[in-house]
Amino acid sequence: MTTPIPPARRPAWFIAGTDTGVGKTFVTCALLHALRQRGLRAVGMKPVASGTDAAGDNEDVSALADASNVDAPRALRNPYCFRAAIAPHIAAADQGVSVELPRIVDAFGELRALADATLVEGVGGFLVPLGDEIDAAQLAVALDLPVILVVGMRLGCINHALLSYEAITGRGLPVVGWVANRIDPDMPRVEENLATLARLLPAPLLGVVEHGVTPACAGAGLRLPD
């Protein structure tokens, strides 16, 4: 009989982005499909989200739920969701809410116990404030997870990627891989930019997500960290 893996040892990663709008949610969904395609029960978590529709749903949270194959309570998948589609620390202040790391860490622990693998998507760039004295980097440190960096392939991506890498590793977290997401299909000299990133980022390239594909299709072309 196979011995079950304790929840604390089940694979989990923090998905960070080089900036807002680089496709963190899309790549997280693709990675969830990659895990599912390997026969694993995979779940996505968005600890902090901003922007809801009339029904109170957030687009990113819904996308992660659709890409997951684990039925988990929303309170675990998304502990904090703010109405306005603005910077999360401003949205939280408008609603009189303080983002508390212990609440997120506890929710993550419960969620991790329900799945074989868990992906936690950050919000905005790695240093985005979540309150007056807390930011997304502190959240990643509190969760103590290896990081997968999403690089949006557009002009300026090399600088953003290198700065993000330094910010992540400077806080003691390993970057176990990066994904190039072609958010600008008309980006000139994309292959040269990819080659430069591969040379300068001391982490393995997990795959290139082409513009216009589905998350399931993108997932089939991604490899998971060792």
Side-chain angles (χ1 to χ4, degrees):
M1 179 182 296
T2 302
T3 302
I5 300 175
R9 294 182 57 193
R10 294 174 189 173
W13 298 274
F14 187 89
I15 313 301
T18 52
D19 198 357
T20 191
V22 297
K24 287 188 309 299
T25 300
F26 186 91
V27 171
T28 304
C29 289
L31 287 164
L32 286 167
H33 280 283
L35 289 163
R36 293 174 56 180
Q37 289 159 8
R38 288 157 177 78
L40 298 175
R41 296 175 302 136
V43 66
M45 181 185 191
K46 180 84 172 179
V48 181
S50 297
T52 61
D53 60 20
D57 293 324
N58 174 267
E59 183 179 6
D60 292 348
V61 174
S62 296
L64 293 179
D66 290 342
S68 302
N69 61 350
V70 172
D71 186 16
R74 177 167 175 170
L76 300 184
R77 295 184 289 102
N78 176 224
Y80 292 96
C81 190
F82 304 114
R83 291 187 295 271
I86 56 179
H89 70 294
I90 299 174
D94 285 350
Q95 292 184 218
V97 175
S98 295
V99 174
E100 299 177 352
L101 291 183
R103 175 178 169 183
I104 296 174
V105 172
D106 288 346
F108 167 72
E110 292 186 50
L111 190 64
R112 193 176 196 176
L114 300 176
D116 298 320
T118 307
L119 297 178
V120 181
E121 183 196 341
V123 54
F126 188 66
L127 296 178
V128 164
L130 302 178
D132 289 341
E133 299 180 356
I134 182 176
D135 59 26
Q138 291 169 273
L139 169 59
V141 170
L143 293 172
D144 192 25
L145 296 177
V147 177
I148 297 173
L149 181 63
V150 178
V151 180
M153 297 304 296
R154 62 187 179 198
L155 188 62
C157 64
I158 296 174
N159 181 61
H160 283 135
L162 296 176
L163 287 175
S164 298
Y165 182 89
E166 287 193 6
I168 295 165
T169 57
R171 285 161 176 77
L173 298 174
V175 177
V176 293
W178 61 283
V179 176
N181 186 23
R182 294 200 60 182
I183 55 175
D184 179 4
D186 299 319
M187 179 185 182
R189 313 299 289 267
V190 64
E191 294 301 330
E192 290 93 330
N193 279 271
L194 280 169
T196 301
L197 284 165
R199 176 170 56 86
L200 296 178
L201 280 176
L205 173 60
L206 303 179
V208 178
V209 175
E210 297 296 335
H211 185 79
V213 300
T214 65
C217 180
L222 295 178
R223 65 186 184 92
L224 298 171
D226 294 334

